[in-house]
Amino acid sequence: MSQPVFGRVLTAMVTPFTADGAVDLAQARKLAAYLVDEQANDSLVINGTTGESPTTSDAEKAELLAVVKDTIGDRAKVVAGVGTNDTAHTLELASQAAAAGADGLLVVTPYYSKPPQDALAAHFTAVADATDLPVLLYDIPHRAGVPIETPTLIALAEHPNIVGVKDAKGNAVASAQVIAATSLAFYSGDDAFTLPLLSVGGVGVVGTSTHFTGARMKALIEQFLAGDVAGAAGANAALLPVFTGVFATQGCMLVKAGLAARGFAPAVLRRPLLPASPEQSDAFVALLDAAGL
């Protein structure tokens, strides 16, 4: 299987904040380097929802992208989350991301307004038409309110700039149908769904727990692709409590709790999110410890 454009393991990186709530660029540099150099990430997704993008300004997004790109250089790629529920704003963020040095774009289904499928197709096509960067579509119906349906994905795959999907739909049959009909690279948008998605032709993961599991997730994927299905299944079983445990509450909250326990920035979040409770934090750190992480 050929190497997909963004590699196998991507992490939707959290955005560190200082105690007074400002974007902490020094910690962002430290975290980005750690994810690439120690957790084997091929690409980082910056300004995704795990990066608390609804609460960061456009200027903060641009500065964060530029800093991360400068930090990791050519050791990994930077994918910018630019999706909103406003096509015009999404186009502005796409242009800004390109200027800041992004290597690709992640564009989520417009949320809350629940556009019908023809409107979804028009939205994604408008973004892809307006950029020279490769685009990942982000299909997450339980948050966006609507899925990108199979015929829509197959039609969108005809666009040369649309190269893949971050698949958080959790429907392996629907994913398999699109994979069979197109050349789209399917990345799991749910850490625990990675191995099932690989089994029908998926290529990797855009992860949350991969802040901690990235290197072992990379090994799991490589085992599977090399034909060691039993080894991959065993690796998956060992990591499954962390894959699922990171979502015991909102994922960003527990990632920041886990990182704080590992010597990174304190777990500061912007409202409406709050830091995980001590009980939630302790439970998640215990899962990391039990998994040898």
Side-chain angles (χ1 to χ4, degrees):
M1 183 180 290
S2 62
Q3 187 78 356
V5 63
F6 299 118
R8 301 293 180 190
V9 176
L10 298 77
T11 291
M13 193 180 97
V14 297
T15 300
F17 297 119
T18 62
D20 63 0
V23 175
D24 190 333
L25 296 175
Q27 281 288 319
R29 285 187 182 276
K30 178 182 176 182
L31 179 57
Y34 157 80
L35 289 172
V36 172
D37 299 333
E38 298 186 40
Q39 288 297 340
N41 277 258
D42 301 305
S43 298
L44 301 180
V45 175
I46 307 301
N47 298 324
T49 46
T50 302
E52 296 176 74
S53 59
T55 65
T56 56
S57 70
D58 290 2
E60 288 173 324
K61 289 178 171 66
E63 189 172 24
L64 184 62
L65 272 173
V67 163
V68 171
K69 183 65 179 176
D70 178 68
T71 300
I72 65 177
D74 60 1
R75 304 196 311 280
K77 293 185 176 180
V78 174
V79 179
V82 300
T84 74
N85 62 350
D86 173 3
T87 302
H89 190 202
T90 299
L91 293 173
E92 291 170 2
L93 289 176
S95 176
Q96 173 180 280
D103 300 295
L105 305 176
L106 178 68
V107 186
V108 72
T109 310
Y111 38 84
Y112 188 78
S113 51
K114 299 181 72 172
Q117 293 298 304
D118 59 344
L120 283 185
H123 172 82
F124 290 126
T125 299
V127 179
D129 283 345
T131 186
D132 294 326
L133 295 176
V135 173
L136 283 177
L137 308 179
Y138 186 6
D139 188 9
I140 183 164
H142 62 278
R143 289 199 180 189
V146 293
I148 314 174
E149 293 179 358
T150 297
T152 306
L153 284 167
I154 292 172
L156 287 166
E158 297 297 321
H159 199 293
N161 292 339
I162 296 176
V163 302
V165 179
K166 179 182 177 183
D167 180 13
K169 190 180 288 176
N171 185 335
V173 173
S175 301
Q177 290 172 328
V178 179
I179 290 168
T182 73
S183 60
L184 292 174
F186 264 64
Y187 291 88
S188 175
D190 179 344
D191 304 32
F193 191 60
T194 304
L195 185 58
L197 188 63
L198 290 172
S199 75
V200 296
V203 301
V205 61
V206 180
T208 304
S209 77
T210 47
H211 284 85
F212 313 97
T213 64
R216 284 170 62 180
M217 179 71 92
K218 172 73 75 66
L220 182 164
I221 293 169
E222 290 175 347
Q223 279 181 294
F224 181 86
L225 295 177
D228 182 6
V229 176
N236 185 72
L239 292 172
L240 193 59
V242 179
F243 291 164
T244 57
V246 75
F247 299 115
T249 184
Q250 208 274 352
C252 178
M253 293 165 57
L254 288 179
V255 168
K256 286 194 169 182
L259 288 172
R262 296 297 188 259
F264 286 87
V268 178
L269 295 95
R270 285 185 177 173
R271 298 288 185 95
L273 296 180
L274 296 172
S277 70
E279 294 78 13
Q280 292 167 332
S281 299
D282 290 348
F284 182 61
V285 170
L287 290 176
L288 294 176
D289 290 342
L293 297 168

